[in-house]
Amino acid sequence: MGCDGAHSTIRHLLNLPFAGATYDAFFMLADTDTNETLPADEMQLCPSEFGPLAIFPMSSTRRRIVATVPTAEDTAPSLDLVQKILAQRGPKGIEARGVRWSSYFRVHHRQVAKLHVGRIFVAGDAAHIHSPIGGQGMNTGLHDVWNLAWKLDLVLHGHSREQLLDTYDAERLPVIKSVIDMTHFMTRALATPSRIAQAVRDTVIPLVSHIAPVQQGIVERLSQLGIAYTGSPIVEGAGKRCFDDSMCGGTGICSRFLLLLGEEASGATREAAGNFCASLHDLLELRISRRPGITLVRPDGYIAYADSNNHPESTFESIRSLLDRQMHQK
Ligand SMILES: Cc1cc2nc3c(=O)[nH]c(=O)nc-3n(C[C@H](O)[C@H](O)[C@H](O)COP(=O)(O)OP(=O)(O)OC[C@H]3O[C@@H](n4cnc5c(N)ncnc54)[C@H](O)[C@@H]3O)c2cc1C
């Protein structure tokens, strides 16, 4: 697995093109001591015709300042520069008092067209890079390996066909593209020179960002908790992450699937579910859940199949056929 960063040797050796482009502007980053004007649990994204500014809280008096600059002056951004950028683009009242660490860097938005060649895989910055506005890079890489690890485990232990590994590309490439599109859009929108676009942005965003569903959507998007593998060949339905207490505890589900059975299930359904899981005991663990109906959860916590219609027999048949598509019995 090539998890060897943006300059990935593995990617070069595989001859995987890294399609995309480089932003014209330089980015600067400075971990800065500040006054306590801004809340310590909020980040600020500040649009400006001079370029975007993002302020991330590190503590009540320290912040990470990320901004675009036309050129890199000196070897590293100075306190003077940080103060100038905050005065030019930042919220009122914030003061920079000292710079702990700072650096310039160039930013690209690029991704590979495929995430594996034969048995060699790429993940993280080796496979995708984008603007740091939005803070998505590390999470996207972690999701890559989270998606792949259980599949590799099942294949290596002979529980699944190798074709299961193809679903790493099928599931992650659309997510990666959407992260790149979103961060590209945010970077451009925050720095647009167009007066009309600025007016729309500065009017619409403050209005809609107070609407609860919009806030929820933004949180889901930026936290990546809203990722769904809809359309994946190994998912039936929306493919959303399962948030359920019954997944916690025990010794962990390792690379097994979970069959969640709603508390309301009858004795006969519980018995049928028990027999069904026993027939696939290496792969499937049964847990009773407050979630109604029958739900198949993948080892990475995403829902592969959900049925709340209470037709246990047809549900078990569908789940068996879904698992058969990716597994082969020992
Ligand atoms: C300024 C800035 C701010 C960012 N802020 C955020 C943020 O707020 N949130 C977020 O999620 N992400 C953020 N990111 C992105 C995040 O840092 C990266 O996406 C993440 O570190 C990528 O992890 P990675 O493991 O894929 O690659 P890397 O962190 O680059 O790790 C690759 C590793 O491979 C090693 N390596 C390379 N070649 C070889 C070789 N041939 N042999 C052995 N080892 C090798 C390297 O030494 C390195 O340790 C930011 C990035 C930048 C530049």
Side-chain angles (χ1 to χ4, degrees):
M1 276 209 64
C3 300
D4 48 352
H7 303 287
S8 170
T9 305
I10 304 286
R11 189 187 66 237
H12 287 297
L13 290 173
L14 291 175
N15 278 325
L16 285 176
F18 211 24
T22 306
Y23 290 99
D24 291 336
F26 280 85
F27 279 70
M28 56 85 55
L29 180 152
D31 289 350
T32 306
D33 291 321
T34 64
N35 59 357
E36 294 188 49
T37 302
L38 299 180
D41 59 352
E42 283 181 10
M43 68 174 283
Q44 282 76 36
L45 285 175
C46 311
S48 162
E49 69 220 70
F50 299 105
L53 163 69
I55 305 176
F56 300 89
M58 299 174 82
S59 75
S60 60
T61 54
R62 194 178 304 174
R63 286 183 167 70
R64 174 161 289 181
I65 312 287
V66 180
T68 56
V69 284
T71 51
E73 292 162 11
D74 304 329
T75 47
S78 62
L79 178 61
D80 274 358
L81 178 65
V82 174
Q83 287 171 333
K84 187 177 141 202
I85 286 175
L86 288 176
Q88 195 179 51
R89 314 177 199 176
K92 278 203 181 90
I94 181 169
E95 280 171 24
R97 295 178 172 167
V99 169
R100 299 266 174 161
W101 179 83
S102 68
S103 180
Y104 289 110
F105 55 99
R106 295 302 293 263
V107 173
H108 315 254
H109 50 99
R110 299 179 184 277
Q111 78 169 99
V112 290
K114 51 185 180 175
L115 293 169
H116 80 290
V117 177
R119 44 188 280 175
I120 306 175
F121 299 80
V122 283
D125 279 17
H128 44 78
I129 45 172
H130 48 76
S131 160
I133 301 291
Q136 299 291 292
M138 186 183 65
N139 276 339
T140 309
L142 292 174
H143 273 278
D144 291 343
V145 290
W146 184 242
N147 183 282
L148 181 58
W150 64 275
K151 296 173 181 173
L152 279 176
D153 189 61
L154 287 175
V155 172
L156 288 171
H157 285 98
H159 290 307
S160 180
R161 300 185 181 98
E162 270 188 43
Q163 283 88 329
L164 178 63
L165 301 174
D166 294 339
T167 67
Y168 171 53
D169 292 52
E171 293 187 339
R172 292 301 301 161
L173 283 173
V175 175
I176 292 167
K177 180 173 182 315
S178 117
V179 170
I180 292 176
D181 289 348
M182 177 187 69
T183 51
H184 185 55
F185 174 78
M186 284 168 74
T187 305
R188 287 169 59 100
L190 289 173
T192 178
S194 153
R195 294 277 169 206
I196 297 169
Q198 283 172 16
V200 172
R201 177 197 66 200
D202 297 346
T203 316
V204 173
I205 293 179
L207 277 180
V208 299
S209 63
H210 286 101
I211 302 169
V214 174
Q215 282 182 348
Q216 176 71 14
I218 293 171
V219 167
E220 282 189 3
R221 194 74 205 264
L222 292 183
S223 64
Q224 302 202 2
L225 293 174
I227 290 173
Y229 295 124
T230 321
S232 159
I234 53 169
V235 159
E236 276 184 29
K240 290 185 174 174
R241 178 97 167 257
C242 182
F243 298 101
D244 194 302
D245 288 351
S246 53
M247 289 175 62
C248 303
T251 51
I253 63 171
C254 303
S255 289
R256 278 173 302 173
F257 288 72
L258 274 185
L259 191 72
L260 300 182
L261 190 60
E263 289 168 333
E264 77 292 347
S266 67
T269 304
R270 287 179 189 224
E271 192 183 335
N275 292 337
F276 178 63
C277 289
S279 71
L280 295 160
H281 69 279
D282 281 343
L283 293 175
L284 202 51
E285 180 181 329
L286 178 63
R287 288 194 191 176
I288 303 299
S289 157
R290 278 201 293 275
R291 193 184 171 85
I294 299 172
T295 309
L296 179 70
V297 184
R298 311 183 335 173
D300 60 355
Y302 286 82
I303 297 174
Y305 186 92
D307 178 28
S308 51
N309 294 328
N310 237 345
H311 297 130
E313 273 163 31
S314 62
T315 300
F316 294 145
E317 232 166 74
S318 304
I319 290 176
R320 190 180 291 281
S321 108
L322 185 66
L323 289 172
D324 276 350
R325 286 216 295 270
Q326 49 193 291
M327 313 291 173
H328 61 77
Q329 305 305 308
K330 278 211 274 191

